[in-house]
Each structure stands twice: as C-alpha cells, then as structure tokens.
Amino acid sequence: MPTTKRAESDACSLLDTDHRNVKKLFKAYEELTQSKAASSSQKKRELANEICMELTVHAQIEEEIFYPGLRQAIKESDLLDEAEVEHASAKDLIAQIQEATDIDDKFDAKVTVLGEYIDHHVKEERTQIFVKARAARGLDLVAMREQLEARKEELMAELTGATA
C-alpha cells in the first residue's frame, strides 16, 4: 500500500515514534510507583528526567519546524494554537518536576498529570493535526522529517553534553 510507505518516512511518523517512546517511559514510571523498593526513588528521578528531556526536545522541534511549516500550509490555525498552549502547560509541569527536590507523592502526581496531558495532546495530533498535515498541499513532510531528525540530534547532544 503506497500510503503505508509514505507514512513510514514522513514528519508525522517521526513525531509519532517520539509519542510512542515517551508513552513507554510513562508506563515504566507508573510501574515504579507501585514498587516499594528503596531504589525506586532514584530510578523514578532518572526516568522522570528522561521523560522531561524527551518531551522538551520533542516540543522544541515541533515549535521550531513542524508547527510553522504547517501554519503556512493549512488555513485553520486554532488546532496549532491549542497545541502550543498544551506545550506551555506541559513545560510548566516539566519545570516543576525538574526542580523538585523530593521524590514524593506530589512528584508522582506531577509526572502522572504530565502523562495525561501528553496523552491528550498526542490524541489530538494523531487524529487531527497529522491528518491535516498529510492532506496539505505543498507541504513536504519527508523533507521536514529530515529537518526534524537533524534538529532533534542537535538538541539531544546539547542536553546530554555529547558532541554532535
């Protein structure tokens, strides 16, 4: 099926792969909240940090590349406005999680709520934004995927201290 081939290599599928990966991280975090092991606090912190880094990079590449490209290609911008407001709310929670000194019930609640925000955001992207992006004329989602990948690698290198 030709649509399957296109869907495997465009910007939307790259972003959706990020969505699936972060969903797995949230699931792993949720499993840790059930654990009574003494080491679970440190593991929670590490997992929460990874979630925050992944989401920060993902939001940035969407805001720098995907959303502006889409704004030029589609008429309705209300969906993109909502997505950017959702990003702002997620960034607030990410900051609270990163600044937290205690790994307590409030910390768990913040990570859980962040996961719920992200689930909602992903659902809207998959069912509405990606559909519009793939239907838009003049929007080269394959070329955009390459831009997104390159920028994501740069940002990950910056955040992890690795050299690009």
Side-chain angles (χ1 to χ4, degrees):
M1 223 185 330
T3 52
T4 306
K5 182 133 178 65
R6 189 190 77 206
E8 285 172 3
S9 61
D10 72 6
C12 299
S13 51
L14 173 97
L15 296 171
D16 208 37
T17 297
D18 283 357
H19 294 158
R20 284 192 301 278
N21 290 341
V22 85
K23 178 79 174 166
K24 287 177 190 165
L25 294 174
F26 277 115
K27 197 166 193 61
Y29 187 92
E30 187 181 330
E31 289 168 10
L32 279 179
T33 62
Q34 312 304 319
S35 170
K36 301 291 180 229
S39 63
S40 72
S41 266
Q42 182 58 33
K43 288 179 186 168
K44 281 183 187 179
R45 167 52 76 194
E46 290 167 8
L47 208 45
N49 287 344
E50 187 177 352
I51 289 168
C52 291
M53 182 181 70
E54 291 287 337
L55 290 175
T56 299
V57 169
H58 180 85
Q60 191 166 338
I61 65 173
E62 281 187 336
E63 291 167 8
E64 287 180 5
I65 300 165
F66 186 68
Y67 293 163
L70 197 49
R71 275 188 194 281
Q72 292 177 342
I74 65 172
K75 290 190 179 16
E76 330 78 53
S77 61
D78 57 328
L79 276 175
L80 296 173
D81 293 342
E82 286 177 27
E84 288 178 356
V85 170
E86 289 168 355
H87 278 196
S89 296
K91 286 177 190 175
D92 287 345
L93 265 179
I94 287 168
Q96 291 177 41
I97 291 165
Q98 290 175 322
E99 292 163 9
T101 51
D102 295 326
I103 310 301
D104 55 12
D105 291 342
K106 279 273 207 261
F107 185 87
D108 289 344
K110 289 174 183 176
V111 175
T112 299
V113 170
L114 180 61
E116 291 167 358
Y117 275 2
I118 300 307
D119 279 347
H120 171 80
H121 180 70
V122 165
K123 187 177 176 185
E124 284 188 348
E125 281 193 340
R126 281 184 182 154
T127 61
Q128 298 173 39
I129 294 175
F130 291 172
V131 172
K132 289 186 186 310
R134 287 183 169 136
R137 296 193 183 276
L139 187 61
D140 186 346
L141 292 173
V142 174
M144 187 185 284
R145 177 194 172 108
E146 293 168 13
Q147 282 182 283
L148 290 167
E149 277 181 320
R151 184 64 177 133
K152 182 178 176 181
E153 285 176 23
E154 280 175 26
L155 293 168
M156 284 296 199
E158 284 173 24
L159 289 174
T160 59
T163 51

